[in-house]
Amino acid sequence: MKLYTSNFSPNCRRVEAVLHHLGLHGSVDIRRPNMVAGEHRSDEIRAVNPNMKLPTLVAGDMNLWEANPIMIYLCDRAGAEEFCPTDLKSRFEILRWMSWEVQHYNRELVDILWETVLKGMFGAGAPDQDKVDVALENYCRFAQVLEDRLGARDFVLGDRVTVADFAVGASSGLAMLPGAQVPLDDYPNIKAWYLRLESLPAWAKTAPENMAEAAA
Ligand SMILES: N[C@@H](CCC(=O)N[C@@H](CS)C(=O)NCC(=O)O)C(=O)O
């Protein structure tokens, strides 16, 4: 398999973390086009993903794009029943939380992080505090849903980590940076869960600084 991926991208991190968690990372041909230089807009990547976005996985005759379906594909291919259960109830829960994080939780979180953290990394100008404030208000609405969910369980589905945690927590490393302006102290269950996630070997191996070192 060949994975086109990038450092500092929460969408790429979640896929690389799944590969580490499944013990597959070392067997994948990892390509890191430089997004700042626009290398992801190459003919090579367009041929396998018409959106020219990362992550993109080539597996045999399949070209896979969109991080969450890629993660489920990798789990099912590896038969990772515990990490990505296939019973109807669990699979519904996984898909629901993945859909929710894309549409709501991480959508608002990434809007905050773009202004407070990522713009600086990409040399895209100063943060717009008005945009941060709008995203913050929306983020808090959905953060409360996650906070309540994590009140009675260690991970999104229950007592064990699943692929749903890797999806919902994809931006955890960036959200915990000092200047991120994400009010995690108001959500102690989310903060504790983020820390639990960051302590997992697969998540630690994909921390932004480690990925930068690996790419150097
Ligand atoms: N919905 C896509 C989002 C992919 C995405 O937006 N990737 C970003 C990096 S996080 C990217 O490739 N941006 C480059 C561009 O849009 O030109 C997914 O889940 O994989």
Side-chain angles (χ1 to χ4, degrees), residues 174-193:
L174 295 173
M176 287 198 292
L177 291 176
Q181 292 191 39
V182 181
L184 289 178
D185 289 338
D186 296 346
Y187 302 100
N189 296 335
I190 295 180
K191 189 171 181 181
W193 164 76

Side-chain angles (χ1 to χ4, degrees), residues 6 9-12 14 35 40-41 51-55 65-68 102:
S6 170
S9 153
N11 290 314
C12 294
R14 62 177 86 185
M35 275 203 300
H40 57 296
R41 299 214 174 95
N51 302 289
M52 293 176 284
K53 283 181 177 280
L54 310 176
W65 32 272
E66 294 299 312
N68 285 343
V102 168

Side-chain angles (χ1 to χ4, degrees), residues 18 31 40 46 55 82 112 125 135 143 157:
V18 167
R31 306 285 172 95
H40 57 296
R46 190 202 309 267
E82 193 168 299
I112 300 169
L157 259 63

Side-chain angles (χ1 to χ4, degrees), residues 5-7 13 16 32 205-215:
T5 183
S6 170
N7 303 323
R13 183 185 188 187
E16 290 204 53
R32 297 186 194 277
K205 280 179 189 149
T206 55
E209 63 273 20
N210 291 341
M211 292 177 73
E213 278 164 22

